[in-house]
Amino acid sequence: MRTAALVALLALAPAVYAAPSHRWRIESPPSHVDFGVRLLWLHTIHGRFERLDGAIEPLGDGRVVVDARVAVDSLSMDSQHLRRWVLAEEFFDAARYPTLRFVSAPVPRTALDDGGALEGQLTLRGITRPMRFELLPARCTADACTIEAHGRLTRSEFGMAGHRAVLSDLVELALSIAIARAPQ
């Protein structure tokens, strides 16, 4: 009986050890998140969040989960006046909600390399909603890979409904995520 249990355990061992157990850390900088929103349908207001961290966690079955957090106060904009307005309670409410977070559904590891859909949950201003990004094929060097993704969100779904007569409800997002090739 003990021999049968040992044989069964040894038969399972290769699968356990073959499963990747390393996380890949998102490097900040150079990772960042850019956004654009139309003002008066003539001009686009741009901003960049410069602190993005998190990890890409392998699940062991060829899929990964992306968990990324953005520091709201890392927002960079051309105008300091506009930056203060965007960080205030009416929009990001950075004092109460200092972090944005995206957690993906499990996605095939190949989607990070080749491009494709990345779906998950975005939490912004304490509100969590489904979010979909389109991944572009990764650009890799010997040391790191950069993954770019594009998506859109509706700001009113996250409690940012002010100024709808002059400010579009649709926000364009562009992410640039850098990860080191060596796992953490």
Side-chain angles (χ1 to χ4, degrees):
M1 180 114 164
R2 286 170 100 177
T3 306
L6 182 59
V7 168
L9 182 62
L10 289 174
L12 291 175
V16 172
Y17 290 113
S21 61
H22 298 295
R23 297 166 37 126
W24 286 270
R25 187 172 49 86
I26 295 172
E27 306 271 318
S28 184
S31 297
H32 59 271
V33 177
D34 292 328
F35 71 86
V37 61
R38 301 283 298 171
L39 174 65
L40 296 172
W41 298 273
L42 301 171
H43 176 70
T44 301
I45 296 172
H46 295 279
R48 173 176 281 186
F49 293 102
E50 296 181 347
R51 278 196 325 268
L52 169 65
D53 66 10
I56 298 172
E57 183 84 42
L59 297 179
D61 61 357
R63 297 180 306 157
V64 296
V65 171
V66 177
D67 184 353
R69 290 170 303 284
V70 177
V72 175
D73 68 353
S74 72
L75 178 63
S76 171
M77 298 182 82
D78 289 338
S79 162
Q80 284 303 311
H81 174 72
L82 191 55
R83 180 183 183 275
R84 283 190 299 277
W85 182 51
V86 170
L87 291 176
E89 185 177 335
E90 185 174 19
F91 291 105
F92 286 109
D93 197 0
R96 288 181 51 202
Y97 305 105
T99 306
L100 311 175
R101 185 173 185 198
F102 175 77
V103 179
S104 77
V107 63
R109 165 75 170 81
T110 56
L112 298 181
D113 293 329
D114 302 333
L118 180 66
E119 296 182 358
Q121 298 289 315
L122 176 66
T123 302
L124 167 59
R125 292 177 47 100
I127 300 169
T128 302
R129 296 274 189 262
M131 183 73 197
R132 178 186 170 105
F133 290 100
E134 285 300 320
L135 299 168
L136 300 176
R139 295 184 331 259
C140 297
T141 65
D143 301 323
C145 287
T146 299
I147 300 167
E148 292 187 18
H150 297 273
R152 293 179 168 173
L153 66 84
T154 305
R155 63 186 184 90
S156 61
E157 290 182 353
F158 293 94
M160 294 184 276
H163 301 285
R164 290 183 70 177
V166 295
L167 197 58
S168 174
D169 200 26
L170 186 65
V171 179
E172 299 284 340
L173 301 170
L175 291 75
S176 180
I177 301 169
I179 57 171
R181 274 193 178 268
Q184 185 175 332

